[in-house]
Amino acid sequence: RLARHGHAYTKNGKINIKNSKYKECFEPVENGCKCYCCQNYTKAYVRHLITANEIFGARLLSIHNIYFLTKLMEDIRENLKNGTLENYRDEFILNYYGEGYDYK
């Protein structure tokens, strides 16, 4: 549902690809992401697809969002095994929500 409305998860928080600031942004949806969308398309192109109501744009963002959530779960499992989950949680929340977010 989020992808259909132009939203994408990133390690630095959720973004709305429909924002005009992405009109000429020729970077992937998330730098460093290994999903099909980020490896092959730019924010500007995905934004164009979403604003033109092309279903391919929603599919690309869905691919990215599913990849993001799958990778997040893999990272959580790995940190559980290593006994570093609390540190990972704190770092993730700091990156995702920013400084000053109180989750405790």
Side-chain angles (χ1 to χ4, degrees):
R1 184 173 192 280
L2 287 172
R4 281 185 293 158
H5 297 286
H7 296 278
Y9 290 118
T10 72
K11 62 185 171 226
N12 296 314
K14 187 171 62 170
I15 64 168
N16 184 347
I17 205 84
K18 292 190 288 186
N19 287 346
S20 61
K21 67 182 176 181
Y22 300 122
K23 189 173 187 174
E24 295 185 23
C25 183
F26 301 104
E27 299 174 356
V29 172
E30 182 172 20
N31 288 320
C33 180
K34 303 289 186 208
C35 79
Y36 177 79
C37 175
C38 292
Q39 294 296 302
N40 295 288
Y41 300 98
T42 65
K43 285 178 185 169
Y45 182 66
V46 175
R47 180 189 182 278
H48 160 73
L49 293 172
I50 293 291
T51 58
N53 292 319
E54 290 286 340
I55 193 72
F56 188 52
R59 290 210 175 143
L60 288 173
L61 285 182
S62 290
I63 289 168
H64 170 78
N65 287 341
I66 291 167
Y67 182 90
F68 177 88
L69 293 171
T70 301
K71 177 84 170 82
L72 177 63
M73 292 299 110
E74 288 173 1
D75 292 346
I76 289 171
R77 280 188 210 99
E78 188 64 32
N79 281 279
L80 271 169
K81 287 181 199 173
N82 297 336
T84 57
L85 184 61
E86 288 183 13
N87 292 337
Y88 177 77
R89 176 200 62 198
D90 293 344
E91 184 181 329
F92 178 83
I93 288 174
L94 178 64
N95 290 329
Y96 194 83
Y97 293 107
E99 195 81 28
Y101 181 81
D102 186 19
Y103 63 93
K104 294 182 181 183

